[in-house]
């Protein structure tokens, strides 16, 4: 619905498949890298980490601990990805609330400009509420 023609939508889906395949390959490579690095010494069994979800940050600190900037960039990337996901969830929550509850459910008639303003306020309210 956001593209002007069906052919452009098909092209966008095709390109996204290649992007997702590349992302999955990077994830698989990362898993193989972690396995190869810690094949003989498991940090979880050694007590260096307390959960399997700490393996990647431990690997970054273990491998690149001497490079302060790299570890900071890694942490910034993790926070950026998580904040981007939270922002997208809040925006979709406010859009669904406005469309399904207010416009369709309560039959409120508003202009697109008012809908944009209300969606921004709903997004702000959901952000404060989630905080």
């Amino acid at each position: 619905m956001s593209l002007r023609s069906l052919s452009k939508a098909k092209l966008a889906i095709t390109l996204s498949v290649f992007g997702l395949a590349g992302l999955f390959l990077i994830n698989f490579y990362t898993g193989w890298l972690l396995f190869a690095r810690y094949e003989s010494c498991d940090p979880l069994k050694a007590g260096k980490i307390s959960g399997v979800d700490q393996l990647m940050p431990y690997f970054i600190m273990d491998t690149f601990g001497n490079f302060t900037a790299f570890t900071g960039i890694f942490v910034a990337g993790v926070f950026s990805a998580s904040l981007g996901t939270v922002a997208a969830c809040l925006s979709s929550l406010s859009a669904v609330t406005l469309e399904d509850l207010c416009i369709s459910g309560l039959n409120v008639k508003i202009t697109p400009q008012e809908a944009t303003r209300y969606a921004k306020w709903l997004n702000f309210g959901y952000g404060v509420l989630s905080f």
Side-chain angles (χ1 to χ4, degrees), residues 27-75:
N27 286 336
F28 291 142
Y29 177 72
T30 302
W32 289 332
L33 184 68
L34 290 173
F35 176 77
R37 175 78 166 102
Y38 299 115
E39 179 183 12
S40 60
C41 58
D42 186 5
L44 185 62
K45 289 181 183 175
K48 294 181 180 180
I49 58 175
S50 60
V52 293
D53 59 340
Q54 297 174 347
L55 188 58
M56 186 65 184
Y58 178 76
F59 171 74
I60 295 296
M61 292 302 295
D62 186 34
T63 307
F64 301 106
N66 297 331
F67 304 106
T68 307
F70 190 82
T71 56
I73 290 171
F74 176 76
V75 171

Side-chain angles (χ1 to χ4, degrees), residues 5-130:
S5 67
L6 184 61
S7 62
K8 287 186 180 182
K10 288 180 180 179
L11 178 65
I13 289 174
T14 303
L15 292 176
S16 70
V17 166
F18 288 117
L20 282 174
L23 186 64
F24 283 129
L25 284 174
I26 290 171
N27 286 336
F28 291 142
Y29 177 72
T30 302
W32 289 332
L33 184 68
L34 290 173
F35 176 77
R37 175 78 166 102
Y38 299 115
E39 179 183 12
S40 60
C41 58
D42 186 5
L44 185 62
K45 289 181 183 175
K48 294 181 180 180
I49 58 175
S50 60
V52 293
D53 59 340
Q54 297 174 347
L55 188 58
M56 186 65 184
Y58 178 76
F59 171 74
I60 295 296
M61 292 302 295
D62 186 34
T63 307
F64 301 106
N66 297 331
F67 304 106
T68 307
F70 190 82
T71 56
I73 290 171
F74 176 76
V75 171
V78 169
F79 279 117
S80 174
S82 64
L83 288 176
T85 303
V86 169
C89 290
L90 290 176
S91 294
S92 65
L93 183 62
S94 65
V96 167
T97 301
L98 183 67
E99 185 65 34
D100 290 347
L101 184 67
C102 297
I103 296 174
S104 297
L106 299 174
N107 293 327
V108 176
K109 305 291 186 220
I110 55 176
T111 65
Q113 291 82 12
E114 290 174 327
T116 302
R117 189 168 11 110
Y118 293 152
K120 289 178 182 178
W121 279 108
L122 279 170
N123 198 358
F124 176 75
Y126 282 132
V128 169
L129 185 66
S130 69

